[in-house]
Amino acid sequence: MIRGHKLPREFPTLILLAVLCAYMAANYPVFLTANNLMVVGFNAAFIGIMACGQAMVILGAGLDLSVGSILAVASCATGAALTGGQPILAAALWGLLAGAGAGYLNGALITYRRLPPILTTLATLLLFRYGVSIITCLLYTSDAADE
């Protein structure tokens, strides 16, 4: 406590992050390069975008466990469209439609069938995850780039 001011509860996490960044910068010179920071920011953007959608679900007193799997479904739809020769905008539209369709399935099961959100999204998480695994034959992007 600083003279009547209470520190935010996130303060220890911020200190830990600062210590971790200092350690990484001291031991790995590549850590603070512009290219690495750009890659970290680019990868964090996906999580930030998904967190915004998840915040809406939580504000509505719900819980969605299948967000990451829906991202995988949308990514696979986009990738399939691109490898099939579709233009980038059309491929992005296919990805959006696949993600919206998966989200609609979750919403319909919860709303119309009155299933518990946590069980529904857990089930669709597994359904989407293993569906993507089957469709992609467990190929990772690095494996696909080598072929």
Side-chain angles (χ1 to χ4, degrees), residues 76 130-138:
C76 281
Y130 291 114
V132 165
S133 296
I134 291 168
I135 291 169
T136 61
C137 300
L138 296 174

Side-chain angles (χ1 to χ4, degrees), residues 31-121:
F31 181 71
L32 288 179
T33 62
N35 188 39
N36 185 53
L37 294 176
M38 183 180 70
V39 169
V40 169
F42 182 75
N43 290 331
F46 290 113
I47 297 169
I49 291 169
M50 288 192 316
C52 290
Q54 187 72 359
M56 294 298 143
V57 173
I58 291 171
L59 287 174
L63 187 62
D64 189 354
L65 302 175
S66 63
V67 176
S69 295
I70 291 176
L71 175 65
V73 167
S75 298
C76 281
T78 304
L82 285 173
T83 55
Q86 294 286 324
I88 291 176
L89 259 93
L93 182 62
W94 279 113
L96 287 172
L97 287 173
Y104 178 79
L105 175 65
N106 274 342
L109 289 171
I110 293 167
T111 304
Y112 300 125
R113 299 292 301 163
R114 303 229 185 260
L115 297 173
I118 192 162
L119 295 178
T120 303
T121 58

Side-chain angles (χ1 to χ4, degrees), residues 1 23 28 60 63 75 101 121 123 147:
M1 198 183 280
Y23 172 79
Y28 301 99
L63 187 62
S75 298
T121 58
E147 292 181 1

